[in-house]
Structure formats: C-alpha cells, structure tokens
Amino acid sequence: MKKRAMALLTAAAAVMAAAGCTVNSGGASAGARSGSGDGKQAFGRTVQLFDAHRKTHDAMKGKRIAFVPILYKGYNLTLNWGSTMERAFGNLGADFRVYDANFDTDKMVKIINDLISRRAVDVLILHNPDVGVLTKQIDAAEKAGIHTIVVNMVSSRLGDAFIGVDSVHAAEDITRRAVRDCAGRGGPKRMAIIDGPGNDGASLQWSKGVHNVLDPAGYEVVTTAHTQWQNSLAQQAASSIVQQRKNGICGFLVAYDLNAIAVGDAVADAAERGVVRPGAIGVYTMAADAQWCDALRAGKVTASAAYDVQGVGEAAVVTAQQLIQSGAPAGSSHTVAYVSHTVVDRTNADTTTIACYQGR
C-alpha cells in the first residue's frame, strides 16, 4: 500500500440533470471560489501535524469537481474512476458530480460549455473523445480560471494535467508478446489492428506502439479497423477479417479490452465453424477488467497489457488537490503522468493486482 501511495503521488508530481448523474452533491453555488487559482498556497515550507489535516480539508471543502467521461453507466472503466473519485472527494468535503455524455460528443461539448460559462466548477476532469474535440473547451476553462485534468485519452490541448496509461509503451509490450507467440506456433507474419475512432489519442498511440514492434520484425498489418469502441463493430470487423484471411493471420491487436472480448468471440466462432484452426489466432489488448478475465479463463482472449485503472482515478484526485492547494492560476503548468502496466495472461492475471478490476 505504501508503494502504491508513493507511486500515485509521484504520478500526480445544474445545468441539465438529464445531462449526467449527480454524485455526492454538496449544493455548491455558481461563481468562482477562493482557493482555486487565487494565488494563495495552502502550505509553506513547514507544517504542524494537525494543521496539515485541517488545511487539506479546508482547501477542498466545497470545491466543485465535475467528471465528464465519454460514457459512464455500465462502463467498468469510467465507473472505476468515478467511484474512486467519489469516495476520495467525498472524504475531503468536495462537491463531486459526474456528467454522462453517453457516447455523444455533441452532448459532451454542450455539458462542458455550460459548466464553463456558468463557472459552475473549480476542476474539470475530462475524458477526451479525440485529440482535438475539446481544444476550445480546455482553453475556455483556463481563461475562466477552471483547472482541467484529462484522463487516459490525451488531448492536443493539454490543460493542467494528463493522467493515463502509457499507450505506446503498453502497445509495444503486448505486441512483443504477440510476436513471440506467433513465432512459437509458426504462424504467418501478419496481424490486424482494431482500435476506437482512430483519431483519438488512445488509438493513435496504440497503433504507433504496435508498428514500433511489428515493422522492424517484418510483420505486415493487414488492416486497421476503427470501431468507435463499439463491441458489435469490433466483432463484425474481426469476423470479416477472419473470413477473408482465414489462417493467413496470426493475431488481433485490439486497443480496448471489452472490444477484445468481442473479437475473441468472433475468432472462437470461426474456429467452431472450421474457418480457422483452433488456437491459430491470438487476441491481444490493453487493460483487463473482470469481464476480460472471464473471457481469458474461457480461452477466448490471449493476453493484455493490464494497467492501473483505479490508479488513474486516484491520481486525478491527488492532482486536483495539488492544483487547488498550490493557488496557482489554471493553465500555469502542464504535466503528463503515466500509471503502471504489465502483461498478463492465464498464468498471472488472477494474482496481479491491477488485472480483473471491477467497476466500483
């Protein structure tokens, strides 16, 4: 626990009620609050033991934090972040609310624009659908004195902080595993990539990491399918690729674990119908929630670069506290911080703390 806490600290170095679900509402009023970019630091060089506790709570009490993910309800990834934030901000006396964009980018933009125009928040925690869509919103938030923290899908407009998985490094690690597996079973040197929209930070970095390994190894990427993170589209794409390539492909490199389950289902179905040999095509991904681990035990997926999903939520809380305690203006500093990841498969997933995570 001490190592985890230190790692997180290092990593960190109503409008429409229908627009989202409200959690731990504290009845905050509109308008700017003192203590967020007001130039007053909560701490100096030294502090008394009990003063540290009081000042930390005083700095956060009544602060308004909004989390705007691309999807919330029923989505283990963002539910995990949100429940972690809810617990932590609630303990600190902050007003934490979640606004569910429900995979609707226009709705997300409207929610954020409204929060900024009313100065209804002190900190915005954003889950950017692609690298450019929230550029204007992050810039407007800074001008309004609102801190912004972007999680997991980096934006070209950085805001105060980005916190997430190192998608390039994770993709490189899991791709090296896929290459070893293919060589071990004498498979063809061909892979397929399945990602999200394709123009988002996660997809772009995933493809970069995959090519960093496959290209020097002489592998061909037969196709890159963009699925908008939709499981049905991932399964359709995988079915089409397998039907076309049959045993001429050695693996799928899927940027998201739930999409990988759908891809695994497509490969398993093709094997049952005799389209491909059982075990001829591996399914590799990033992240490992409880549903992915169930599919792993069932033999439908192969391995994943599991990352510390809960750590993203915890680091966002730590970062928000540091931004508020510093008293520095919004946008006066910009940082990128990554959480840990490691490759898991049937041999170690159940004993790896960051694998098989739950939504809450």
Side-chain angles (χ1 to χ4, degrees), residues 120-143:
V121 291
D122 298 295
V123 180
L124 275 169
I125 301 175
L126 305 175
H127 191 201
N128 201 2
D130 69 48
V131 294
V133 73
L134 297 183
T135 297
K136 291 181 180 179
Q137 285 66 41
I138 294 172
D139 185 62
E142 178 182 315
K143 291 175 180 177

Side-chain angles (χ1 to χ4, degrees), residues 87-101:
R87 288 189 290 266
F89 286 127
N91 289 341
L92 292 164
D95 175 14
F96 173 68
R97 305 187 183 202
V98 178
Y99 296 85
D100 191 347

Side-chain angles (χ1 to χ4, degrees), residues 5-332:
M6 288 301 296
L8 289 170
L9 287 171
T10 302
V15 27
M16 333 157 201
C21 55
T22 300
V23 186
N24 195 28
S25 174
S29 60
R33 297 288 188 90
S34 63
S36 179
D38 59 5
K40 298 177 182 177
Q41 292 188 20
F43 294 100
R45 292 181 180 274
T46 61
V47 66
Q48 297 298 317
L49 177 63
F50 296 113
D51 280 350
H53 169 266
R54 178 182 57 79
K55 287 183 177 181
T56 300
H57 281 261
D58 285 350
M60 293 302 296
K61 186 176 181 181
K63 289 297 183 295
R64 301 149 307 158
I65 318 293
F67 175 38
V68 190
I70 59 174
L71 177 66
Y72 196 64
K73 294 180 180 178
Y75 202 40
N76 270 0
L77 181 71
T78 51
L79 278 171
N80 189 288
W81 297 336
S83 60
T84 298
M85 294 176 201
E86 178 187 353
R87 288 189 290 266
F89 286 127
N91 289 341
L92 292 164
D95 175 14
F96 173 68
R97 305 187 183 202
V98 178
Y99 296 85
D100 191 347
N102 197 27
F103 266 135
D104 185 333
T105 300
D106 290 338
K107 181 178 179 179
M108 171 181 276
V109 169
K110 288 177 182 178
I111 290 169
I112 297 168
N113 283 343
D114 181 81
L115 291 169
I116 294 170
S117 67
R118 294 189 298 112
R119 287 178 168 78
V121 291
D122 298 295
V123 180
L124 275 169
I125 301 175
L126 305 175
H127 191 201
N128 201 2
D130 69 48
V131 294
V133 73
L134 297 183
T135 297
K136 291 181 180 179
Q137 285 66 41
I138 294 172
D139 185 62
E142 178 182 315
K143 291 175 180 177
I146 298 168
H147 292 294
T148 54
I149 300 169
V150 178
V151 291
N152 236 37
M153 295 204 288
V154 70
S155 171
S156 56
R157 180 66 167 82
L158 189 56
D160 292 276
F162 168 79
I163 299 162
V165 59
D166 185 345
S167 297
V168 174
H169 191 184
E172 290 170 345
D173 285 346
I174 195 62
T175 303
R176 278 189 282 268
R177 166 62 187 270
V179 167
R180 288 196 300 270
D181 287 354
C182 283
R185 61 177 176 264
K189 299 180 79 170
R190 300 186 192 93
M191 301 268 194
I193 296 174
I194 293 182
D195 59 20
N199 58 353
D200 60 291
S203 296
L204 292 168
Q205 291 179 323
W206 175 259
S207 291
K208 171 66 174 172
V210 168
H211 280 284
N212 284 350
V213 174
L214 291 189
D215 294 352
Y219 275 71
E220 175 189 359
V221 174
V222 298
T223 190
T224 298
H226 308 308
T227 67
Q228 313 300 318
W229 309 121
Q230 300 293 329
N231 294 336
S232 60
L233 295 179
Q235 187 163 358
Q236 290 171 21
S239 295
S240 176
I241 293 167
V242 171
Q243 188 64 41
Q244 179 185 6
R245 297 284 177 170
K246 297 182 172 58
N247 292 307
I249 184 173
C250 193
F252 285 97
L253 291 154
V254 189
Y256 174 47
D257 56 353
L258 293 189
N259 286 176
I261 298 172
V263 171
D265 287 338
V267 173
D269 177 70
E272 288 178 4
R273 293 185 290 108
V275 176
V276 297
R277 295 187 304 274
I281 300 175
V283 180
Y284 306 87
T285 191
M286 178 172 63
D289 85 337
Q291 297 174 67
W292 181 87
C293 285
D294 288 341
L296 178 69
R297 297 181 193 105
K300 292 186 176 182
V301 293
T302 312
S304 177
Y307 69 92
D308 192 355
V309 167
Q310 184 171 321
V312 172
E314 291 175 342
V317 172
V318 173
T319 300
Q321 292 180 75
Q322 292 179 334
L323 290 170
I324 289 170
Q325 289 178 19
S326 73
S332 58

Side-chain angles (χ1 to χ4, degrees), residues 324-338:
I324 289 170
Q325 289 178 19
S326 73
S332 58
S333 64
H334 309 281
T335 60
V336 172
Y338 296 131

